[in-house]
């Protein structure tokens, strides 16, 4: 098989390290690509990125520095101490090995022809051989894996010239940082195989549906631009996600989107691209990492609730309180990031999935279909369940309508809303941050610093562990002017098992089968109570919400006040009558006096 000497690649690495100009880098890459046989161009591209494959599927090299150090000592016939000393002095194992090797070989006439090592250790290394050996190192598993890794690495080092050893070690320990951006590689591929940068859009599109630079390079080198045009969305290969621009004025958003848009809750969780093929399900993150192992429950949900043989769907995974269904802040998902004990994490930190897009179904790509079509097909394909549903959405046509939907989303625990174009050109713009999607988040949030005392006026039945008791309570503030109780939140957090056991008993004497005449609510509770029991509550902030009746219309037409992420502090205020609860007026004051905290903005155009 045609191959390229590894030394050619290494010479290129040295030149790349010596330049900081992107143009010069592109030129160097073009020259390199042109002399690389198509058979190994994919391997060369991977190595140059310091990996063995595309990010979503590359096996981890994972050679610990200690192990690499031992391999160097063995290959050079030196003591570990000596290698360690050189490493400490130079701060890089690759450079240390290079220096030690140079020292070990007294200059000979052969050096002038660059052949000293090769002459001594056999044939020169090739790119294909190096890649294959590194792959064996990455894949070695089970007992004896360490030995196998060392043996392979030692064999490589023995055949390497000093310079080659330097880069081999950097690659194997994950420290090759040439700073060649993927976009520079795409530019160079365009020039090398299609004649000029003008072919970039075609190549970039292929890269967006199949973000594997090695694969793109190989198709280009072997089949030219026509081959690349034929690259299609493939189940199992993640598509580069579409991103949103940002605005914070509802009128401006609507005018950008042609006067109307589909507003969707912007859930605060982790984006997921789910690929389903029969019973096989793979999950990718926003950065296209394979996150299947973090969410076995989501895998199961996709299997159960997606009515298609093959499909690629997008949605947001959100941490929830299993007993109340309340959404929890994003940080709770961190528990799913650990490698082990996923089963336990699954129980303790359950999640819901909210689907918002369908990119492919049963052989048909929907990438170029407008959003209304994709959304309709999504509704057909997804059979909703308790934890697997479509993102809550609404077509909005006026700034007021958008504002109301936004406030409802925020009060429910979302970050804001996503406003999506419904126009004919509203395709799925892979890998691009464009104006077809506009995120509407808050520039500020507020901080609730004090507790409030609220009256229990209703309750919702619990699920899961809370079956048989209440999952959440509907809480109200008092309005002395009207002598009524107006709702501000649904609280399900902060209750201990003991609280949960005694709540039904405590509330039983006040239970009635209809809403109490002194309670003003827009929500339908499962159970209603005579206002009597007062609980102390704290939340993250007080926000506007169309769902609650406290101060309704006082601060904004058709919006009341709500407490976001409310929690019971543990204090039953038996010393307070319901009329002693925090008043509507006090909540309005608290809302106005809340400390304003800036919400950090991710600069547009930058991947967060
Ligand atoms: P941010 O930091 O604001 O989440 P980002 O740069 O990560 O922004 P953006 O494209 O700007 O990404 O914002 C969209 C993100 O919002 C998506 O990546 C996704 O995780 C999340 N999201 C939540 N709900 C939705 C929804 N209904 N539609 C699209 N994206 C959603």
């Amino acid at each position: 098989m045609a191959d390229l000497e590894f030394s050619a690649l290494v010479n290129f690495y040295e030149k790349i390290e010596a330049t900081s100009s992107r143009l010069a880098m592109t030129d160097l890459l073009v020259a390199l690509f042109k002399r690389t046989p198509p058979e190994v161009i994919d391997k060369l591209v991977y190595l140059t990125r310091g990996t063995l494959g595309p990010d979503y599927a590359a096996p981890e090299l994972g050679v610990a520095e200690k192990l690499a150090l031992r391999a160097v000592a063995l290959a050079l016939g030196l003591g570990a101490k000596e290698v360690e000393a050189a490493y400490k002095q130079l701060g890089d194992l690759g450079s240390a090995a290079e220096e030690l090797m140079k020292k070990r070989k007294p200059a000979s006439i052969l050096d002038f022809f660059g052949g000293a090592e090769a002459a001594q250790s056999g044939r020169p290394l090739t790119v294909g051989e190096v890649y294959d050996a590194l792959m064996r190192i990455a894949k070695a598993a089970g007992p004896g894996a360490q030995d196998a890794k060392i043996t392979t690495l030692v064999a490589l080092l023995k055949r390497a010239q000093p310079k080659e050893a330097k880069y081999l070690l950097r690659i194997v320990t994950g420290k090759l940082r040439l700073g060649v951006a993927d976009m520079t590689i795409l530019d160079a591929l365009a020039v090398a195989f299609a004649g000029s940068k003008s072919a970039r859009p075609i190549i970039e599109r292929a890269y967006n549906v199949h973000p594997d630079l090695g694969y793109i390079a190989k198709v280009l080198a072997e089949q030219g631009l026509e081959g690349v045009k034929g690259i299609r969305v493939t189940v199992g290969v993640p598509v580069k996600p579409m991103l949103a621009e940002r605005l914070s004025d509802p009128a401006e958003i609507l005018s950008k989107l042609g006067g109307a848009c589909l507003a969707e809750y912007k859930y605060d969780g982790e984006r997921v691209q789910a690929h389903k093929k029969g019973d096989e399900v793979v999950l990718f993150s926003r950065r296209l990492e394979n996150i299947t192992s973090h969410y076995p429950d989501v895998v199961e949900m996709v299997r159960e609730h997606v009515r298609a043989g093959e499909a690629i769907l997008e949605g947001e995974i959100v941490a929830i309180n299993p007993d109340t269904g309340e959404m929890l802040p994003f940080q709770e998902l961190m528990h799913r990031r650990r490698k082990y004990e996923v089963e336990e994490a699954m129980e303790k930190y359950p999640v819901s999935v909210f689907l918002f897009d369908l990119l492919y179904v049963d052989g048909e790509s929907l990438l170029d279909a407008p959003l209304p079509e994709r959304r309709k097909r999504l509704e057909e394909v997804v059979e909703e369940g308790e934890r697997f549903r479509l993102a809550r959405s609404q077509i909005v046509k006026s700034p007021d309508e958008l504002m109301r939907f936004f406030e409802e989303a925020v009060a429910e625990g979302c970050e804001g809303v996503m406003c999506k174009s419904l126009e004919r050109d509203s395709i799925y713009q892979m890998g691009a941050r464009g104006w077809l999607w506009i995120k509407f988040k808050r520039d500020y949030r507020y901080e609730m610093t004090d507790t409030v005392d609220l009256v229990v006026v209703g309750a919702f039945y619990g699920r899961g562990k809370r079956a048989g008791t209440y999952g959440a309570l509907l809480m109200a503030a008092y309005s002395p002017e009207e002598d009524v109780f107006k709702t501000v939140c649904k609280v399900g957090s902060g209750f201990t098992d003991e609280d949960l056991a005694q709540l039904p008993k405590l509330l039983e004497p006040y239970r009635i089968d209809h809403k109490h005449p002194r309670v003003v609510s827009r929500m339908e509770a499962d159970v209603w109570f005579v206002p009597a029991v007062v609980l102390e509550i704290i939340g993250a902030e007080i926000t506007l919400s169309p769902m609650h009746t406290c101060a309704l219309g006082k601060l904004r037409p058709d919006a009341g006040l709500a407490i976001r992420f409310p929690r019971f502090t543990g204090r039953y205020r038996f010393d307070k009558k319901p009329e002693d609860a925090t008043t509507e007026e006090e909540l309005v004051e608290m809302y106005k006096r809340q400390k304003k905290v800036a919400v950090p903005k991710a600069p547009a155009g930058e991947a967060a």
Side-chain angles (χ1 to χ4, degrees):
M1 193 175 88
D3 210 332
L4 180 77
E5 288 194 4
F6 187 55
S7 61
L9 184 57
V10 160
N11 288 338
F12 159 79
Y13 288 168
E14 284 204 314
K15 287 193 199 133
I16 284 277
E17 277 186 332
T19 176
S20 54
S21 136
R22 194 183 150 179
L23 276 180
M25 266 192 197
T26 313
D27 290 345
L28 286 168
L29 270 169
V30 171
L32 179 73
F33 288 157
K34 281 189 169 163
R35 63 183 289 206
T36 305
E39 289 92 329
V40 291
I41 195 160
D42 48 347
K43 297 180 177 177
L44 177 135
V45 167
Y46 296 138
L47 290 178
T48 302
R49 297 178 74 251
T51 60
L52 294 178
D55 293 344
Y56 59 87
E60 250 186 68
L61 266 162
V63 171
E65 216 138 64
K66 246 186 167 165
L67 202 129
L69 202 142
R70 253 173 63 209
V72 173
L74 283 170
L76 298 185
L78 298 171
K81 286 238 158 60
E82 205 173 333
V83 181
E84 224 173 297
Y87 173 32
K88 278 213 178 108
Q89 195 195 344
L90 293 167
D92 163 52
L93 187 59
S95 306
E98 183 185 25
E99 285 312 308
L100 290 169
M101 270 190 174
K102 277 191 196 155
K103 256 196 255 162
R104 199 188 53 151
K105 304 276 181 237
S108 82
I109 187 74
L110 276 172
D111 268 342
F112 290 106
F113 303 102
E117 325 293 328
Q120 194 188 21
S121 336
R123 284 175 304 108
L125 286 169
T126 65
V127 169
E129 272 179 322
V130 167
Y131 177 90
D132 294 346
L134 294 181
M135 195 60 133
R136 282 200 300 282
I137 292 179
K139 292 212 162 146
Q146 300 295 70
D147 285 345
K149 284 178 202 271
I150 290 216
T151 313
T152 312
L153 187 52
V154 169
L156 274 179
L157 289 171
K158 277 192 170 162
R159 282 180 55 200
Q161 295 178 35
K163 257 196 249 172
E164 293 178 325
K166 171 167 82 181
Y167 289 105
L168 263 177
L169 285 161
R170 287 189 187 164
I171 297 175
V172 95
T173 53
K175 296 239 162 80
L176 180 74
R177 299 204 184 99
L178 296 174
V180 185
D182 288 359
M183 292 302 134
T184 311
I185 297 183
L186 286 179
D187 271 344
L189 286 173
V191 177
F193 299 111
S196 82
K197 273 191 200 168
S198 60
R200 214 352 244 278
I202 294 173
I203 300 177
E204 195 170 336
R205 184 188 154 87
Y207 176 61
N208 282 331
V209 263
H210 200 127
D212 177 345
L213 280 174
Y215 172 78
I216 302 284
K218 192 152 192 179
V219 173
L220 249 183
E222 284 178 345
Q223 303 166 39
L225 214 48
E226 281 312 303
V228 165
K229 281 185 193 160
I231 294 178
R232 301 266 176 272
V233 55
T234 313
V235 180
V237 176
V239 167
K240 282 255 185 188
M242 175 165 180
L243 302 174
E245 281 290 353
R246 176 180 177 138
L247 285 176
S248 46
D249 173 26
E252 203 183 343
I253 293 175
L254 281 169
S255 84
K256 273 260 181 208
L257 295 172
C261 71
L262 185 74
E264 281 176 356
Y265 274 16
K266 185 177 193 308
Y267 297 94
D268 188 13
E270 172 163 26
R271 185 171 187 161
V272 68
Q273 199 178 99
H275 289 231
K276 174 182 189 288
K277 187 175 202 157
D279 262 352
E280 230 175 277
V281 175
V282 186
L283 307 177
F284 296 105
S285 71
R286 180 197 140 114
R287 299 173 52 192
L288 310 186
E289 303 146 319
N290 187 326
I291 49 167
T292 316
S293 64
H294 302 177
Y295 299 106
D297 39 358
V298 175
V299 168
E300 202 43 52
M301 288 187 236
V302 173
R303 270 192 204 126
E304 240 177 69
H305 295 280
V306 177
R307 282 181 299 201
E310 287 190 354
I312 303 178
L313 312 98
E314 265 199 324
E316 191 87 352
I317 299 181
V318 183
I320 53 152
N321 177 333
D323 308 319
T324 62
E326 288 168 300
M327 292 191 270
L328 301 176
F330 162 76
Q331 290 78 348
E332 296 290 324
L333 286 178
M334 284 303 124
H335 302 287
R336 293 298 194 99
R337 289 252 150 201
R338 50 185 179 185
K339 270 199 177 142
Y340 309 101
E341 298 158 27
V342 176
E343 293 290 324
E344 193 193 321
M346 224 161 67
E347 283 250 319
K348 268 194 170 152
Y349 308 98
V351 295
S352 275
V353 187
F354 297 93
L355 286 316
F356 55 77
D357 223 313
L358 181 68
L359 313 188
Y360 173 93
V361 62
D362 289 331
E364 186 187 351
S365 165
L366 295 177
L367 293 170
D368 291 328
L371 178 66
E373 160 88 14
R374 301 204 305 278
R375 179 82 195 191
K376 187 175 131 263
R377 302 288 295 275
L378 181 68
E379 282 165 23
E380 288 164 9
V381 160
V382 172
E383 193 177 326
E384 286 190 299
E386 198 178 301
R387 300 262 187 90
F388 196 80
R389 36 184 19 128
L390 300 178
R392 187 168 147 71
S393 71
Q394 186 180 312
I395 293 183
V396 299
K397 295 187 173 147
S398 74
D400 275 354
E401 240 183 318
L402 179 52
M403 206 55 215
R404 264 206 304 282
F405 191 68
F406 171 81
E407 281 157 3
E408 177 191 313
V410 168
E412 289 279 301
C414 290
E415 279 186 291
V417 290
M418 296 292 289
C419 304
K420 301 183 176 177
S421 166
L422 292 166
E423 312 260 282
R424 281 178 53 199
D425 66 351
S426 58
I427 59 163
Y428 188 89
Q429 267 180 338
M430 293 174 293
R433 194 180 289 280
W435 290 102
L436 291 176
W437 284 10
I438 302 175
K439 56 183 162 181
F440 176 19
K441 299 206 292 193
R442 300 176 304 161
D443 295 326
Y444 291 97
R445 65 183 165 74
Y446 296 95
E447 247 173 29
M448 186 173 175
T449 45
D450 205 357
T451 58
V452 285
D453 299 317
L454 301 175
V455 188
V456 185
V457 295
F460 301 85
Y461 291 127
R463 293 179 292 211
K465 277 202 312 278
R466 290 201 193 167
T469 174
Y470 297 127
L473 302 179
L474 185 60
M475 308 298 295
Y478 180 57
S479 161
E481 294 84 35
E482 300 166 56
D483 190 28
V484 292
F485 298 90
K486 299 182 175 178
T487 71
V488 245
C489 66
K490 230 171 109 174
V491 63
S493 301
F495 297 101
T496 62
D497 289 346
E498 209 182 331
D499 292 327
L500 289 171
Q502 77 173 33
L503 268 173
K505 271 179 251 154
L506 181 72
L507 290 166
E508 191 52 36
Y510 309 105
R511 191 175 160 145
I512 43 177
D513 60 5
H514 53 84
K515 181 158 61 84
H516 191 273
R518 283 171 74 211
V519 170
V520 187
S521 173
R522 283 184 162 185
M523 283 194 172
E524 263 314 306
D526 294 332
V527 178
W528 294 103
F529 301 110
V530 176
V533 177
V534 179
L535 304 180
E536 188 179 79
I537 304 291
I538 181 90
E541 63 181 312
I542 305 173
T543 59
L544 291 168
S545 161
M547 316 283 280
H548 289 287
T549 53
C550 176
L552 186 64
K554 290 202 171 168
L555 293 149
R556 181 137 40 194
D558 210 33
L561 286 179
I563 295 176
R564 197 166 179 247
F565 296 129
R567 184 164 45 80
F568 174 45
T569 63
R571 290 185 68 189
Y572 294 87
R573 299 302 307 257
F574 294 121
D575 53 326
K576 286 199 166 181
K577 290 197 307 269
E579 289 79 7
D580 296 327
T582 303
T583 64
E584 181 176 39
E585 206 42 52
E586 280 174 308
L587 270 160
V588 170
E589 274 313 302
M590 284 175 82
Y591 171 76
K592 289 184 181 160
R593 282 199 324 260
Q594 278 182 119
K595 211 170 100 201
K596 229 176 174 186
V597 193
V599 174
K601 273 187 201 180
E606 194 174 285

